[in-house]
Amino acid sequence: MKLGLLTAAFPDQTLEQVAQWAQENGFEALEIACWPSSGSEHRRYSGVAHIDVHDFNPRAVLKVLDRYGLVISSLAYYPNNLDPDKEARQAANDHLRKVVEAAQRLQVETVGTFVGRDQSRSVKDNLEDFSRVWPPLVKFAREHGVRIAIENCPMIFSADEWPGGRNLAYSPALWRQLFEIIPDESFGLNFDPSHLVWQMIDYTRAVREFSSRIFHVHAKDMEIDRDGLYEEGVLSAGVGWQVPRLPGLGDVQWDRFLSALYAIGYDWVVSVEHEDRNFEGDLELVQRGFVLARNALRPYIV
């Protein structure tokens, strides 16, 4: 395996600056943020573009990565691809296609994204919507030699994402239904154990069951705030008590999780996703957070 990081936590750094720091601090891969360069999306940890997929030179990008001995694990773009606003949905779908085209030009196999969801509608209604919107997107990716890896975050951290969250692909039962609708081998998971912890889902069992669908892995931890859970209860769907942490500071057992990945033969990148509020606010704090994560994970990654 290789240890990597998602570049979205460095919004004010150039790709070269991120690559140089990553190499100097023991990382081997970058998952490169590719939101629209307009920065129109203002959700936390989004709107970052280290590659402008509408206007970039693939050779120049690859030269930067080669200079620092790094590989690109995935191109990252995580919008709501089933947004109930038709214009927003179309914009997300169109930009996702541009990211897929950029991945082909860079010879990157995987694009990470969200399925999305209309948070006000039922799971059944959203599955019907998925069955209309997503098969053409996956077909487009396959025709460009690219795999789509959907992350399993429910996207329900705050009141404006209530009640259903903004991403449908959050549980094994739903993954099965999505893969039944799209059995395409180009459609799989960007597996993040942190989102399973607070749902009380066994992430090592999920690794075993969905082994053939795991294209990419996020390393993010999750702390369950017991006081918040006491106050809000499980019917709050995690709001008020799921706390994103850096690896080693939450409830994920990284030795067991990585052992499960080794057991299924996963041999690609474990990409640190930094969403820990205790290590943000300035560049030095963000960098310290990544170093902390590196130290927690490095003993298990070979």
Side-chain angles (χ1 to χ4, degrees):
M1 293 188 205
K2 296 181 185 296
L3 184 61
L5 61 84
L6 172 56
T7 68
F10 294 107
D12 300 319
Q13 299 285 292
T14 66
L15 179 61
E16 176 140 15
Q17 288 172 322
V18 176
Q20 181 176 353
W21 183 87
Q23 186 273 332
E24 291 173 349
N25 287 274
F27 292 90
E28 301 155 293
L30 296 183
E31 178 187 0
I32 301 180
C34 293
W35 271 263
S37 58
S38 63
S40 57
E41 190 167 350
H42 301 295
R43 177 170 51 84
R44 226 168 136 240
Y45 303 110
S46 68
V48 180
H50 284 114
I51 295 176
D52 179 353
V53 296
H54 292 269
D55 182 20
F56 77 104
N57 182 331
R59 289 185 181 179
V61 171
L62 293 174
K63 186 178 291 187
V64 169
L65 276 291
D66 289 344
R67 186 176 301 134
Y68 298 104
L70 302 172
V71 298
I72 302 174
S73 66
S74 171
L75 298 188
Y77 174 51
Y78 295 90
N80 187 347
N81 278 296
L82 295 179
D83 198 300
D85 182 286
K86 290 184 179 180
E87 290 186 5
R89 177 188 298 196
Q90 190 63 54
N93 295 172
D94 289 347
H95 189 75
L96 179 59
R97 290 186 176 92
K98 295 300 293 184
V99 176
V100 166
E101 290 173 343
Q104 181 186 39
R105 294 174 68 192
L106 290 164
Q107 299 182 317
V108 173
E109 289 188 352
T110 304
V111 166
T113 193
F114 285 145
V115 164
R117 178 176 179 171
D118 181 342
Q119 69 200 67
S120 66
R121 299 174 68 200
S122 68
V123 167
K124 180 181 177 182
D125 287 345
N126 274 277
L127 284 169
E128 291 174 357
D129 208 9
F130 170 85
S131 68
R132 290 188 295 269
V133 172
W134 267 94
L137 292 173
V138 174
K139 180 182 178 183
F140 182 85
R142 184 183 66 251
E143 290 173 346
H144 287 76
V146 174
R147 305 182 303 179
I148 296 289
I150 54 170
E151 191 185 343
N152 54 289
C153 176
M155 285 306 294
I156 183 164
F157 292 99
S158 55
D160 66 334
E161 294 164 336
W162 183 267
R166 293 181 180 168
N167 187 33
L168 184 63
Y170 57 79
S171 71
L174 283 165
W175 303 341
R176 288 188 209 103
Q177 292 179 80
L178 299 178
F179 294 142
E180 285 173 7
I181 294 168
I182 305 180
D184 197 305
E185 292 182 356
S186 298
F187 185 57
L189 294 169
N190 183 5
F191 195 103
D192 186 331
S194 70
H195 304 302
L196 301 180
V197 167
W198 68 270
Q199 295 184 81
M200 293 174 280
I201 294 171
D202 184 340
Y203 47 83
T204 59
R205 178 177 172 181
V207 166
R208 293 192 297 272
E209 179 177 351
F210 295 93
S211 59
S212 65
R213 295 286 188 169
I214 298 176
F215 296 167
H216 196 265
V217 170
H218 268 177
K220 185 172 67 185
D221 219 327
M222 181 65 67
E223 177 189 358
I224 297 176
D225 181 343
R226 296 293 167 177
D227 289 334
L229 178 57
Y230 172 81
E231 292 290 338
E232 304 294 342
V234 296
L235 294 183
S236 69
V239 175
W241 51 274
Q242 54 162 319
V243 186
R245 295 294 188 212
L246 288 157
L249 299 183
D251 295 328
V252 176
Q253 293 181 285
W254 290 100
D255 56 345
R256 302 314 308 148
F257 176 63
L258 290 163
S259 176
L261 290 176
Y262 282 118
I264 66 166
Y266 181 80
D267 196 28
W268 187 224
V269 173
V270 176
S271 179
V272 176
E273 184 182 16
H274 186 330
E275 293 187 351
D276 193 322
R277 290 184 184 274
N278 290 336
F279 290 86
E280 62 179 28
D282 63 47
L283 178 60
E284 182 184 359
L285 266 177
V286 170
Q287 291 172 337
R288 285 172 59 192
F290 276 115
V291 169
L292 186 153
R294 178 204 67 194
N295 292 347
L297 297 170
R298 176 51 71 189
Y300 306 112
I301 295 179
V302 294

